[in-house]
Amino acid sequence: MFTKKAHHHAVFPISMQLASALQHLARKPQSSIERRTAMKFETLMLNSLFAACVAICVSTLVAMLA
C-alpha cells in the first residue's frame, strides 16, 4: 500500500529527479573560476550594503545636528 507521500512522489518521478538535479547544480559551482566569480559578486553586494548603511547613518546624524 502507498502512503500519501509515497504516492505523491510516485506520480511525478521525472519532475522530482529534475528538481533534485537543479538544486544540486544551483548549490555547487562547477569550477573554481565560477566560485571566485560568485564570491566577488557576494563581496560587492556586502560592500554596497555597508556603504548604503553608512550613508544612511551619516545623513541621519547630519539631519539631527542641523
Side-chain angles (χ1 to χ4, degrees), residues 5-27:
K5 187 175 183 182
H7 180 67
H8 175 71
H9 291 302
V11 174
F12 303 106
I14 294 173
S15 62
M16 293 296 290
Q17 289 173 351
L18 178 62
S20 295
L22 289 175
Q23 280 182 337
H24 179 71
L25 288 174
R27 280 190 215 143

Side-chain angles (χ1 to χ4, degrees), residues 6-57:
H7 180 67
H8 175 71
H9 291 302
V11 174
F12 303 106
I14 294 173
S15 62
M16 293 296 290
Q17 289 173 351
L18 178 62
S20 295
L22 289 175
Q23 280 182 337
H24 179 71
L25 288 174
R27 280 190 215 143
K28 296 194 177 226
Q30 296 297 321
S31 68
S32 63
I33 294 172
E34 289 180 19
R35 287 187 193 117
R36 275 188 247 134
T37 303
M39 289 302 294
K40 285 180 184 178
F41 177 72
E42 290 173 4
T43 303
L44 178 67
M45 292 297 291
L46 286 172
N47 287 339
S48 300
L49 177 63
F50 177 74
C53 290
V54 168
I56 290 171
C57 290

